[in-house]
Amino acid sequence: DAPTAIDGSLSADGEAMTFDAELGSIRDFFEGRATPLTLSLGGNLVDVSFDGEIPASQDIEFAGDFSADIPSIRALAAFAGSPLPPGENLQRFAAQGRIEGTTSRLGLTARSIRFDEIRGSGNLAADLSGSRPRLTGRLDLDELNVNPYLPAPAEDAAPAAGGGIPPWSEEAIDFAGLGIADADLSLNVGRLQVRDIEVTDAALRAVVENRRLQAVLERISLYEGQGNVTIVANARTATPSFSLDASLAGLDALPFLDAAAGFDRLAGTGAMTLSLATSGNSQAAMMRNLGGNGEFNFADGAIVGINIAETIRNVSGFLDRAGGAQAAETSEDDSEQASVGERQETDFSSLGGTFAIANGRLTNNDLLMLSPLLRVEGQGWVDLPGQTLDYRLRPRAVASIEGQGGATDLQGIVVPIRFRGDFNNVGYGVDTEAVTRALLQGALSNAIGGDRNQSPEDAARDALRNALGLGNQDSEDTAGEEGQTDEEEVDPAEQLLRGLFNQRRDRSQSEETDDNSGDPN
């Protein structure tokens, strides 16, 4: 009938621990009456305590306050014979609260939880009666940084040359963890960080049922925007499948895209929807099987890194190089450096479009950007498995843009721009292929129905004017009085045409003169 106590110490695999326990009455315990109970276990690996009772019942039950402190989860796992992979995470765990349960059911309400640097509170219930444990609960955290717990980069993923985006990994991903238990868990986080993406006021519900995970971000606030995201990972079959549906509005595009994809060339307030699906056992396989579609709209923003209006103003410098049949790539000495660079940008009032993805290849054919000065159309593709892209922009001036050296009206002029290359080395410049194609079409048109008295140079000149949206103009109309050819008095397109059709001849004459001069230079 009197309290019964036991205390002592033990050693296992070199680890020493102390313990003590006190039961209010052996008679009360065996006869099913409520009985006070205290327990404690202490040592270098773990320090836990329980202060409560065994309620009146014919079954073995318990209820009371608890505290737990594990200085190193890794050390405890190694002691238990299940060492964890190397890493700096999974260190300390501590919790305080109330616990109750039976041999097949456990309920936990934690007033405070600490896991590494994560702190919060919550409740958890575990049902151990089925073939797999079933967990239900809620966790409230002030801040959660999941980066320390994400898989490390695969060993076979060679780094990209000079850094940047590495190739997709072919290493198999283990999804066995989805079969450990079924769960229905809710998570509320004041600040959530995943990779470089920061989310505030996040409400997440995750349901795991027979190796299938559905995670729903019911409410997120990120980069001034609001939205929701649903992710499904299904590992019930030999080849896992995945899907993602997202909707975001009011998004500050520049910091979001920079954090999500390392893309820092688009600023503005935007909205987007996304629906993706894929399957595969590796990162590379998922990219190869990726499909879906999406839509985006941004307002009152800018394309950072290029000034398209300035590009149009510098049309002579762009197409002079194209006329020399050189590659349309940017170099440090190119004349368009005034219109590209970190300090340059193209403002827009709206930018939108749709895209479709099939077998990892994203295609967009309806990009449209509007601004007071410009209308920009775009189309092209991005090959995600191969990490390459080829995209064309057709900017057209829709209002007067002051030209070089004067107030020349360039309204209607088109300078096609092409971006292509791999993700870590994207080249951009004038789309000489589009210009050449337009020239050939113009030349063919002139050959069929043009002025047969017109010289080949004049015919080509008119074709190029049409390709740029300037229309046919007599070259004499743009010359100054008495043959004046001052660069400041000549239309930029005229400079372009002179460079394309006269400079080569002048260069040939110059070379011939140099050959006869005897000058070795």
Side-chain angles (χ1 to χ4, degrees):
D1 295 313
T4 301
I6 181 172
D7 62 83
S9 63
L10 61 89
S11 178
D13 291 337
E15 286 290 344
M17 288 175 275
T18 61
F19 63 89
D20 63 73
E22 183 174 305
L23 184 66
S25 167
I26 294 179
R27 182 188 299 277
D28 290 344
F29 171 73
F30 280 105
E31 293 183 357
R33 291 187 289 271
T35 309
L37 174 66
T38 60
L39 300 168
S40 68
L41 175 67
N44 294 326
L45 294 177
V46 63
D47 188 355
V48 297
S49 66
F50 172 83
D51 186 358
E53 67 174 5
I54 299 175
S57 173
Q58 297 301 316
D59 299 322
I60 298 178
E61 297 185 19
F62 56 91
D65 294 331
F66 80 95
S67 67
D69 190 354
I70 302 174
S72 174
I73 299 173
R74 292 183 174 276
L76 182 61
F79 173 78
S82 302
L84 299 172
E88 299 297 326
N89 57 359
L90 301 177
Q91 297 296 336
R92 186 174 182 180
F93 173 82
Q96 293 181 337
R98 183 168 180 81
I99 186 170
E100 58 183 33
T102 67
T103 55
S104 61
R105 177 184 56 81
L106 179 66
L108 172 68
T109 300
R111 295 186 297 270
S112 66
I113 300 173
R114 175 181 176 180
F115 180 63
D116 290 340
E117 299 303 317
I118 302 169
R119 290 174 171 81
S121 61
N123 58 76
L124 179 69
D127 184 351
L128 310 177
S129 61
S131 58
R132 285 187 306 273
R134 179 170 183 81
L135 307 176
T136 58
R138 172 191 173 105
L139 185 61
D140 298 311
L141 303 176
D142 294 332
E143 185 171 343
L144 174 61
N145 181 0
V146 303
N147 291 338
Y149 310 98
L150 295 178
E155 294 181 358
D156 68 344
I165 302 175
W168 308 120
S169 171
E170 295 283 359
E171 183 176 340
I173 301 175
D174 186 4
F175 294 98
L178 289 178
I180 294 177
D182 293 338
D184 188 345
L185 304 172
S186 297
L187 173 66
N188 293 280
V189 184
R191 177 179 175 272
L192 171 65
Q193 182 161 359
V194 183
R195 300 296 186 191
D196 293 328
I197 300 176
E198 292 186 5
V199 180
T200 58
D201 190 26
L204 169 68
R205 183 185 179 194
V207 177
V208 180
E209 194 75 39
N210 188 22
R211 299 174 60 86
R212 180 183 183 273
L213 165 67
Q214 177 171 306
V216 180
L217 272 168
E218 300 170 334
R219 181 187 72 249
I220 54 174
S221 299
L222 73 166
Y223 302 96
E224 309 300 327
Q226 302 285 333
N228 54 77
V229 180
T230 299
I231 300 173
V232 175
N234 187 354
R236 293 174 178 173
T237 59
T239 301
S241 61
F242 310 88
S243 67
L244 183 150
D245 292 278
S247 176
L248 300 170
L251 193 68
D252 189 353
L254 183 60
F256 171 72
L257 293 176
D258 189 18
F263 184 77
D264 58 357
R265 299 299 183 187
L266 180 63
T269 301
M272 63 176 66
T273 59
L274 189 64
S275 179
L276 302 177
T278 189
S279 61
N281 286 296
S282 69
Q283 191 181 58
M286 293 178 198
M287 288 297 168
R288 289 191 293 267
N289 297 326
L290 184 64
N293 56 75
E295 181 178 359
F296 57 93
N297 290 281
F298 296 94
D300 301 325
I303 297 176
V304 180
I306 184 169
N307 187 327
I308 298 178
E310 184 71 23
T311 298
I312 293 178
R313 287 195 288 265
N314 291 339
V315 60
S316 176
F318 271 108
L319 293 184
D320 186 30
R321 187 175 74 253
Q326 299 179 14
E329 297 179 354
T330 299
S331 68
E332 292 298 325
D333 298 328
D334 283 340
S335 61
E336 69 270 21
Q337 286 300 304
S339 57
V340 297
E342 296 300 326
R343 297 183 179 180
Q344 299 294 328
E345 61 181 35
T346 299
D347 295 331
F348 61 78
S349 55
S350 68
L351 170 65
T354 61
F355 60 86
I357 305 176
N359 298 323
R361 188 181 180 98
L362 183 152
T363 304
N364 162 253
N365 293 313
D366 62 355
L367 178 75
L368 179 61
M369 189 192 85
L370 301 176
S371 78
L373 295 178
L374 299 168
R375 176 189 178 96
V376 181
E377 299 174 350
Q379 64 178 34
W381 52 263
V382 178
D383 184 45
L384 296 172
Q387 297 188 347
T388 58
L389 62 89
D390 191 344
Y391 201 86
R392 289 176 165 90
L393 292 177
R394 286 180 52 83
R396 178 188 298 274
V398 295
S400 179
I401 299 177
E402 184 176 339
Q404 289 176 317
T408 302
D409 186 1
L410 300 181
Q411 183 174 345
I413 192 170
V414 176
V415 180
I417 302 172
R418 188 176 188 181
F419 300 81
R420 56 179 168 176
D422 62 64
F423 285 3
N424 294 311
N425 185 26
V426 179
Y428 51 93
V430 171
D431 187 357
T432 54
E433 180 180 320
V435 173
T436 302
R437 185 167 56 249
L439 283 173
L440 291 176
Q441 292 173 350
L444 179 61
S445 176
N446 283 340
I448 294 174
D451 185 355
R452 298 186 180 279
N453 296 322
Q454 190 178 31
S455 68
E457 286 187 1
D458 289 340
R461 186 190 306 270
D462 289 344
L464 184 57
R465 286 184 179 277
N466 283 329
L468 296 175
L470 293 175
N472 293 332
Q473 298 180 23
D474 192 330
S475 60
E476 294 179 0
D477 293 343
T478 56
E481 295 181 4
E482 298 180 0
Q484 181 181 3
T485 59
D486 188 337
E487 293 293 333
E488 293 187 356
E489 299 297 329
V490 180
D491 185 282
E494 179 64 29
Q495 298 177 28
L496 154 70
L497 298 173
R498 188 189 310 150
L500 286 178
F501 302 114
N502 297 333
Q503 186 176 358
R504 185 175 301 172
R505 182 175 56 193
D506 294 343
R507 186 182 299 114
S508 300
Q509 294 174 353
S510 175
E511 291 173 352
E512 185 176 338
T513 303
D514 291 342
D515 290 341
N516 296 331
S517 67
D519 184 352
N521 297 322

